């Protein structure tokens, strides 16, 4: 008799579990994998990432990356590196600077509004006559050592791709007093990137805020074979991707009369508007 009651109890439990499984789509419960904050961050910011090309006579001379950080009056503004838009002496006179949106739509011609001096301020701002998705610049003090990050760029001129890592090193500006917030003046991440990712956006997880821009990376040369049969290539060194933080970018914009594109108090407000406009994540 006790055995019959035990079997009956197990059957009831199994039936209850089955009803809960069937009801889970109605209740909004997901039977799939748990939420992936990194993936959700990428989905939120990916539309604002762009590829860049400098071309002449149908030939691509240089490829790089950028991020749309502002839009006003039907025009969009792209952050990238100064070395990306520097001309080589061997290039022809007429060069096209193309911005290629993440959605695969037709390339847009861009003009250079501001350019810093390499290597100290390796930043540039481009303008395109179109409205593109935007990820606004984050607040200057919204960064800590060990924060999770994602980097979006176009290594080797191919499609946009994502790398992930953490804030591995931060250098702070000297604060005027102990109560003042710490402002980052330089930082590194261990997210591995490749040639062509210069100018790519760096975003925090899970906020999806634009906390910086890739300025460069240190590589190590790997070689195989001997003498004339030797084959060598460069690989990114972990922890050696250099990033221009938001405070440095905002200072650059102010020095070139473009502070209106990233006012200090607008980062939080713009982020809230972007979150409110974003479509809800559907359960898997």
């Amino acid at each position: 008799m006790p055995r019959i009651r035990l079997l009956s109890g197990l059957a009831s439990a199994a039936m209850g579990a089955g009803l809960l499984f069937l009801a889970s789509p109605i209740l909004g419960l997901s039977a799939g994998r748990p939420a992936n904050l990194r993936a959700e961050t990428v989905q939120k910011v990916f539309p604002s990432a762009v590829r860049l090309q400098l071309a002449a006579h149908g030939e691509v001379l240089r490829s790089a990356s950028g991020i749309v950080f502002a839009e006003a009056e039907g025009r969009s503004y792209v952050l990238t590196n100064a070395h990306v838009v520097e001309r080589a002496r061997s290039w022809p006179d007429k060069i096209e600077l193309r911005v290629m949106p993440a959605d695969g739509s037709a390339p847009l011609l861009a003009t250079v509004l501001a350019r810093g001096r390499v290597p100290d301020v390796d930043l540039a701002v481009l303008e395109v006559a179109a409205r593109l998705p935007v990820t606004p610049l984050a607040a200057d003090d919204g960064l800590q050592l060990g924060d999770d990050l994602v980097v979006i760029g176009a290594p080797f001129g191919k499609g946009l791709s994502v790398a992930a890592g953490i804030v591995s090193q931060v250098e702070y500006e000297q604060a005027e007093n102990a109560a003042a917030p710490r402002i980052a003046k330089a930082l590194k991440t261990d997210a591995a990137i490749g040639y062509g990712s210069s100018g790519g956006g760096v975003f925090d997880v899970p906020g999806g805020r634009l906390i910086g821009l890739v300025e460069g990376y240190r590589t190590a040369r790997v070689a195989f074979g001997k003498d004339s049969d030797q084959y060598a290539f460069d690989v990114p060194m972990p922890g050696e991707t250099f990033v221009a933080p938001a405070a440095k970018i905002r200072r650059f914009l102010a020095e070139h009369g473009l502070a209106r594109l990233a006012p200090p108090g607008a980062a939080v407000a713009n982020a809230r508007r972007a979150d409110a406009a974003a479509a809800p994540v559907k359960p898997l």
Side-chain angles (χ1 to χ4, degrees):
M1 201 63 160
R3 183 178 180 185
I4 295 175
R5 284 198 298 268
L6 177 60
L7 292 176
S8 176
L10 291 174
S12 299
M15 182 177 294
L19 290 174
L20 180 60
F21 177 79
L22 291 174
S24 62
I26 301 175
L27 297 175
L29 302 176
S30 174
R33 60 187 180 184
N36 185 330
L37 296 180
R38 183 178 293 169
E40 291 176 9
T41 299
V42 171
Q43 291 167 16
K44 179 163 60 174
V45 303
F46 194 87
S48 59
V50 296
R51 292 189 294 143
L52 304 178
Q53 288 183 344
L54 281 78
H57 308 299
E59 179 184 357
V60 176
L61 305 174
R62 181 180 294 156
S63 298
S65 309
I67 178 70
V68 184
F69 74 105
E71 183 269 327
E73 299 179 352
R75 294 180 175 273
S76 298
Y77 300 89
V78 179
L79 278 170
T80 189
N81 292 149
H83 75 260
V84 166
V85 296
E86 283 187 347
R87 296 174 57 91
R89 293 183 178 180
S90 60
W91 287 0
D93 293 335
K94 294 184 178 180
I95 301 292
E96 285 187 351
L97 175 55
R98 305 170 182 166
V99 171
M100 309 175 72
D103 63 3
S105 55
L108 303 166
L109 294 181
T111 56
V112 180
L113 283 188
R115 183 174 60 191
R117 181 172 296 181
V118 181
D120 296 331
V121 186
D122 194 4
L123 298 170
V125 176
L126 316 180
E127 181 184 60
V128 295
R131 289 184 173 181
L132 297 174
V134 170
T135 298
L137 196 60
D140 295 343
D141 58 346
L143 187 66
Q144 292 186 23
L145 193 66
D147 279 351
D148 288 328
L149 301 175
V150 291
V151 180
I152 302 179
F156 304 103
K158 305 299 182 182
L160 291 168
S161 64
V162 181
I166 63 170
V167 178
S168 55
Q169 185 183 50
V170 185
E171 294 182 24
Y172 292 99
E173 297 180 358
Q174 186 69 34
E176 296 181 0
N177 58 71
R182 294 195 303 172
I183 305 299
K185 67 177 182 179
L187 65 99
K188 291 182 184 179
T189 175
D190 62 349
I193 63 170
Y195 172 81
S197 294
S198 293
V202 183
F203 312 88
D204 70 341
V205 178
R209 301 173 303 166
L210 177 60
I211 60 94
L213 194 78
V214 173
E215 281 191 304
Y217 55 97
R218 187 170 286 124
T219 61
R221 178 158 288 259
V222 179
F224 299 93
K226 295 182 179 180
D227 302 327
S228 60
D229 294 330
Q230 188 178 72
Y231 176 74
F233 60 92
D234 295 329
V235 295
M237 295 178 63
E240 295 296 322
T241 296
F242 302 94
V243 178
K248 181 177 181 178
I249 296 171
R250 192 168 274 113
R251 186 181 302 114
F252 166 76
L253 294 173
E255 291 172 351
H256 289 79
L258 299 173
R260 68 187 187 281
L261 298 179
V268 174
N270 286 343
R272 287 174 179 169
R273 284 198 294 269
D275 287 342
V281 178
K282 296 180 180 179
L284 299 176

